């Protein structure tokens, strides 16, 4: 009788150990969101890799400002790069993207005006804050929600941007770049 109980317990233990292995097959990776990434912990190396990926996948194009100056714009989609909401990734990405804009124009002249780190960070921060705020209301059936979300999701950093005063964007960028790791 002791042998039968031992065999039976062995079978039960083996079965219980195999259940988690089957459960893991049905688990799918959850889609990252800016709200989820905001509080994620990234090591310095992980943040470096993520910021490289975002800066490399962003779009950069030369442009002429309203005042006739030569400049470079940069665009990134926040929904495709939700890690931008993470302060560590944000700061590293801003530095890399601004550095990249400085290489787009081969022969800059005195007629070339580019965004600095603070201006760039201020505008991108406002886009991310808007997305974080809009995510709260995604299930509220708000009219024109999708259009509004799309407007902020596609962050085109442009020195001619005037939805907010330049001083506000510069100050926001100065604060954000000064306090983030």
């Amino acid at each position: 009788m002791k042998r039968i109980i031992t065999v039976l317990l062995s079978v039960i233990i083996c079965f219980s150990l195999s259940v988690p292995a089957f459960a893991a097959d049905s688990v799918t990776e959850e889609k990252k969101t800016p709200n989820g990434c905001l509080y994620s912990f990234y090591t310095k190396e992980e943040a470096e890799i993520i910021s490289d990926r975002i800066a490399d996948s962003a779009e950069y194009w030369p442009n002429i400002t309203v005042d006739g100056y030569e400049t470079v714009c940069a665009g990134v989609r926040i929904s495709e790069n939700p890690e931008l909401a993470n302060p560590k990734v944000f700061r590293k990405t801003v530095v890399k993207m601004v550095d990249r804009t400085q290489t787009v124009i081969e022969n800059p002249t005195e007629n070339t005006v580019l965004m600095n780190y603070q201006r760039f960070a201020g505008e991108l921060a406002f886009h991310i804050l808007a997305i974080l705020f809009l995510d709260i209301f995604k299930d509220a059936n708000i009219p024109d929600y999708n259009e509004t979300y799309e407007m902020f999701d596609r962050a085109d950093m442009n020195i001619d941007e005037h939805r907010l005063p330049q001083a506000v964007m510069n100050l926001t960028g100065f604060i954000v770049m000064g306090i983030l790791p």
Side-chain angles (χ1 to χ4, degrees):
M1 188 68 175
K2 287 183 183 180
R3 287 185 182 176
I4 293 174
I5 292 174
T6 304
V7 169
L8 187 57
L9 285 174
S10 298
V11 169
I12 291 171
I13 290 172
C14 288
F15 179 73
S16 68
L17 291 175
S18 66
V19 171
F22 292 115
D25 291 340
S26 64
V27 175
T28 58
E29 186 175 320
E30 205 172 296
K31 186 178 185 311
K32 291 182 180 180
T33 64
N35 279 321
C37 292
L38 180 62
Y39 300 108
S40 296
F41 175 77
Y42 295 110
T43 65
K44 187 175 183 178
E45 293 77 24
E46 289 171 328
E48 199 69 44
I49 291 168
I50 294 168
S51 63
D52 281 339
R53 176 184 51 80
I54 295 170
D56 290 343
S57 68
E59 298 174 41
Y60 306 90
W61 63 94
N63 196 16
I64 303 297
T65 68
V66 176
D67 298 329
Y69 291 102
E70 183 179 41
T71 189
V72 175
C73 299
V76 64
R77 190 164 291 281
I78 296 167
S79 60
E80 294 173 5
N81 302 289
E83 299 93 346
L84 276 170
N86 184 277
K88 191 180 288 188
V89 174
F90 177 86
R91 187 175 200 299
K92 290 179 180 300
T93 304
V94 165
V95 170
K96 290 174 185 179
M97 288 181 73
V98 170
D99 289 349
R100 179 77 55 90
T101 64
Q102 296 173 1
T103 65
V104 171
I105 298 175
E106 291 182 19
N107 298 312
T109 66
E110 66 277 347
N111 201 34
T112 304
V113 177
L114 300 174
M115 283 187 278
N116 61 22
Y117 298 112
Q118 289 77 24
R119 169 65 177 75
F120 195 97
E123 187 171 342
L124 185 55
F126 277 115
H127 277 272
I128 292 169
L129 289 172
I131 291 296
L132 291 170
F133 180 75
L134 287 170
D135 274 347
I136 296 169
F137 300 104
K138 66 182 168 196
D139 297 324
N141 294 326
I142 297 172
D144 300 326
Y145 173 84
N146 291 335
E147 292 82 10
T148 305
Y149 190 91
E150 175 65 26
M151 179 179 68
F152 287 107
D153 183 43
R154 174 64 187 183
D156 288 334
M157 277 60 70
N158 178 351
I159 203 161
D160 271 343
E161 177 65 55
H162 295 296
R163 284 185 267 191
L164 291 172
Q166 297 286 337
V168 172
M169 285 194 264
N170 284 327
L171 179 62
T172 302
F174 177 77
I175 292 168
V176 171
M177 293 300 282
I179 63 172
L180 295 181

